[in-house]
Amino acid sequence: MSPEPTSPDAALRAEVLRWLRCPVCGAGLDAHGRSLRCGAGHTFDLARQGHVQLTAAPLAHIGDSAAMVAARGRFLAAGHFDPLTSAVRDAAARAWPGGLVLDAGAGTGHHTCAVLDALPDAWGIAVDASKAAARIAARAHPRLAAVVADVWRTLPLADDSVGVLIDVFAPRNAAEFARVLRPVGALVIVTPAADHLAELITTLDLLRVDPEKPARLADAFGAGFRVASSRPYRWIMGIDHDGVGALVGMGPSAWHADADSLAARIATLPDPISVTASVTVTVLRPRL
């Protein structure tokens, strides 16, 4: 179980700050009151909730909305994805050689907290484009810092700073992951399998899993990484109607779902309904 929420500034201590880099010039950052500043004078204010935005330009997208983040919190708190969290925790803890724990596209930091619980000497950074998610991640764990940044762009981190990098259903930037990851580090990627949420996809008109996703993953990471392990996980979730609404509301289908139509479709489902969760956890190592 994760520690109680902490003060928002706790994780932006030297253990994390020394690895952060200015997104404008790449220089190191120092704390100056409620701001982080590099030697060239580029300054980034620490938000009241404890997160910091480290971007050189406005974000191309804002990430998950506050409503999506709230839905994610409700769904994860119900324990439906506990087997996934445990799989990520165990894979990351086995692979960690020291250095930061980085969660790319971390959302609220739910999975990162489990990893940090298993690694009492590790410090983590949750990176996400969503300020709504970062506000929660900043208070989620005493050794977790929250940074608003775009995973598709240059990450505001030093070379070889990350011991284990987690990516759960999130965007993947192979070049940047390779740059920040230590040579002895590991990348833990979670991808949905073809039958993930199969009982809901047609009835609720959800986005389907791209059958080419495994091939794209291999193409993107094949040059710089080797597969250390790849393991499927499959379990059945018993989800009531409120939980189904939260599940849809926290994912990409939320962007195009009409609320009234969705509620009507959910009402036709059994309550609760048995839903398949099916994912693959792949551990990649840098090619030396």
Side-chain angles (χ1 to χ4, degrees):
M1 184 176 180
S2 299
E4 290 298 314
T6 185
S7 67
D9 299 345
L12 276 176
R13 298 197 310 206
E15 292 87 346
V16 167
L17 185 57
R18 68 191 182 104
W19 299 113
L20 294 178
R21 293 294 179 267
C22 173
V24 179
C25 67
L29 294 167
D30 294 310
H32 293 266
R34 297 288 301 171
S35 299
L36 304 182
R37 187 183 308 160
C38 72
H42 302 124
T43 302
F44 307 90
D45 293 334
L46 192 67
R48 177 175 56 84
Q49 297 88 350
H51 63 279
V52 62
Q53 181 167 333
L54 295 179
T55 56
L59 290 166
H61 55 88
I62 60 171
D64 290 350
S65 67
M68 294 172 70
V69 170
R72 185 180 304 276
R74 294 195 304 274
F75 188 81
L76 293 175
H80 299 302
F81 272 5
D82 281 357
L84 184 158
T85 302
S86 296
V88 171
R89 176 200 65 206
D90 294 346
R94 285 193 299 266
W96 184 67
L100 289 173
V101 173
L102 173 64
D103 194 340
T108 60
H110 179 87
H111 306 301
T112 337
C113 288
V115 174
L116 293 175
D117 285 346
L119 297 171
D121 294 326
W123 289 72
I125 298 182
V127 173
D128 203 283
S130 169
K131 291 183 180 180
R135 292 185 188 108
I136 297 175
R139 298 172 180 266
H141 196 284
R143 287 180 280 116
L144 180 64
V147 173
V148 176
D150 189 346
V151 172
W152 291 115
R153 298 177 179 174
T154 301
L155 293 169
L157 290 165
D159 295 356
D160 302 335
S161 56
V162 176
V164 66
L165 196 158
I166 306 163
D167 185 289
V168 181
F169 302 151
R172 298 182 291 272
N173 186 333
E176 276 300 285
F177 289 1
R179 180 184 67 81
V180 302
L181 199 63
R182 291 184 172 189
V184 294
L187 172 58
V188 180
I189 294 181
V190 180
T191 52
D195 58 340
H196 186 57
L197 311 183
E199 296 84 357
L200 301 177
I201 287 174
T202 299
T203 302
L204 301 184
D205 191 27
L206 304 184
L207 297 178
R208 297 179 181 274
V209 175
D210 182 354
E212 300 300 318
K213 186 179 287 289
R216 292 208 317 273
L217 179 65
D219 289 344
F221 289 91
F225 292 85
R226 59 179 176 84
V227 176
S229 66
S230 185
R231 181 177 174 182
Y233 291 84
R234 191 175 188 274
W235 66 99
I236 302 299
M237 305 177 290
I239 311 177
D240 63 18
H241 283 185
D242 287 342
V244 172
L247 176 59
V248 178
M250 76 184 200
S253 294
W255 291 110
H256 69 83
D258 175 77
D260 292 338
S261 175
L262 176 62
R265 292 181 182 224
I266 291 175
T268 68
L269 299 173
D271 190 13
I273 183 174
S274 295
V275 180
T276 300
S278 185
V279 305
T280 300
V281 179
T282 302
V283 179
L284 301 172
R285 295 279 191 178
R287 292 188 186 274
L288 301 179

